[in-house]
Structure formats: structure tokens, C-alpha cells
Amino acid sequence: MRTAKITRKTAETEITVEINLDGTGAYDNQTGVGFFDHMLDQLSRHSLIDFTIRAKGDYHIDDHHTVEDTGIALGQALVQALGDKKGIRRYGSCLLPMDDALVRAALDLSGRPYLVWNVDLPTAKIGTFDTELVREFFQALSTHGGITLHVDALHGINSHHIAEAAFKSVARALRDAVETDPRKADAIPSTKGAL
């Protein structure tokens, strides 16, 4: 089973992430940050990775630590669930439209974290959610998941649509990357022999 459970506890947050890479996109996410839960639900549903996430954070300060630390724990869970990465497709990409927004995501489960983020969110807030936290989440996910991740917003005027398209496009790219390649199910997808 390609599953993982990560618990992260700091002076700022307490987070538990459980995932199943071979799931159906079932989710139960409760971080205490409403818009972020909505985005995590999209990430699960469209990647077909089951998520159960529980988080408690220092909300009296802001949502930053909760969002970032959830990205850290989710990245660590992906690494654990992927193991030696034998048989995975490794790469994934998606060009995803959502109303006015068009977002492209491309990723490599290379073990070499790198984030390229060309996403302009035109408002500082979506409801009460700080839009700069979208990038913070993906930075943490990329760093702790060992993911080379490129996200580019090609069009968009509505911050909610752009952010949601970013989560959905990364989800679809992740779905492709973690799937087993039936032509090379017994091989690590690298000429190095390791990822």
C-alpha cells in the first residue's frame, strides 16, 4: 500500500496528514482555515489521492503557520508513500481552465525541490484568507516533497478562480506523476537508478 501518516507538532501548529496514493480522491480536511480546506479538497479530489488532514494552529496570529506547516507535512507524506519511486511515471503536467483563469502546472518527482511561481493573485484576500499563502503552501509542498514544480497563471482576473485553478492543475499533474507506468512498473524512472 502506498500510504503514509505524518504528524508534525511545533510550538505554532499541530498537524496530522494521512494519504493514500491509490485512492479515489476521498477527503476529510479540517485545518481551521475554510478557504484552505476548500483548496485541499480540490487537491485530493483531482489527484485521486485520499487525504485526511487535521490541523490546529496559532490562528490568533494569522493562518500562515497552519498553511505552511500543512504543506510541509503533506510533502513529507508524499515522500514516505512514494518510497523508492519504483514504477511511477514521475512527471506530470496540466493546463487547466476555470472560467477566466487558465493555469499551467508541470512537475517532476525528482527529489530535487524547486518552485517556479508565476501566479499573480490580484487581491490580497479571498474572504479572510491571505492570497500570498497560496505560494507559501506550494513552496512548502515542493521543498518537503522533493518536487520540481512550475506553476504559471496564463490568464485570470478573479483571485478565487486563479488560486483554485492552481490547486486543480497541480492535482492533475500529481495524479499523472504518482501513477504506475504499466510499461516500467518494476523500474525506477531515472538513468541514475535512484530518485
Side-chain angles (χ1 to χ4, degrees):
M1 292 291 293
R2 298 190 307 160
T3 61
K5 181 176 181 178
I6 295 290
T7 299
R8 175 181 172 82
K9 187 171 184 177
T10 72
E12 299 166 339
T13 62
E14 184 174 342
I15 296 166
T16 302
V17 171
E18 294 182 64
I19 64 170
N20 177 2
L21 298 182
D22 300 307
T24 60
Y27 55 83
D28 182 6
N29 302 311
Q30 297 177 30
T31 67
V33 183
F35 179 76
F36 185 47
D37 286 347
H38 179 48
M39 294 299 100
L40 291 170
D41 295 350
Q42 301 302 325
L43 192 59
S44 173
R45 171 60 55 88
H46 294 282
S47 67
L48 297 184
I49 300 172
D50 293 347
F51 285 10
T52 301
I53 299 174
R54 294 291 182 271
K56 294 179 184 175
D58 51 0
Y59 311 113
H60 62 286
I61 296 173
D62 64 11
D63 299 332
H64 185 112
H65 298 136
T66 303
V67 172
E68 182 179 30
D69 287 8
T70 300
I72 290 170
L74 184 56
Q76 292 171 342
L78 283 169
V79 169
Q80 187 179 101
L82 285 166
D84 67 3
K85 302 179 186 174
K86 185 181 286 185
I88 65 168
R89 292 186 184 272
R90 178 178 167 179
Y91 298 98
S93 62
C94 178
L95 183 63
L96 191 131
M98 182 174 173
D99 301 336
D100 55 285
L102 182 64
V103 176
R104 176 180 58 217
L107 59 83
D108 176 8
L109 300 177
S110 61
R112 297 185 306 275
Y114 198 92
L115 177 66
V116 175
W117 183 258
N118 293 308
V119 178
D120 181 30
L121 294 160
T123 61
K125 297 262 190 192
I126 301 170
T128 61
F129 184 81
D130 293 327
T131 55
E132 68 183 6
L133 296 182
V134 176
R135 185 189 187 285
E136 291 300 320
F137 169 77
F138 284 114
Q139 181 67 68
L141 180 68
S142 170
T143 299
H144 293 271
I147 304 168
T148 300
L149 175 60
H150 292 245
V151 185
D152 300 284
L154 306 177
H155 300 290
I157 56 173
N158 180 287
S159 292
H160 188 134
H161 294 163
I162 297 166
E164 189 164 337
F167 274 86
K168 287 178 176 178
S169 62
V170 170
R172 292 296 301 224
L174 196 55
R175 174 180 171 176
D176 290 346
V178 303
E179 284 188 349
T180 301
D181 185 343
R183 296 177 63 196
K184 281 289 188 179
D186 61 344
I188 291 171
S190 172
T191 55
K192 296 179 181 73
L195 283 171

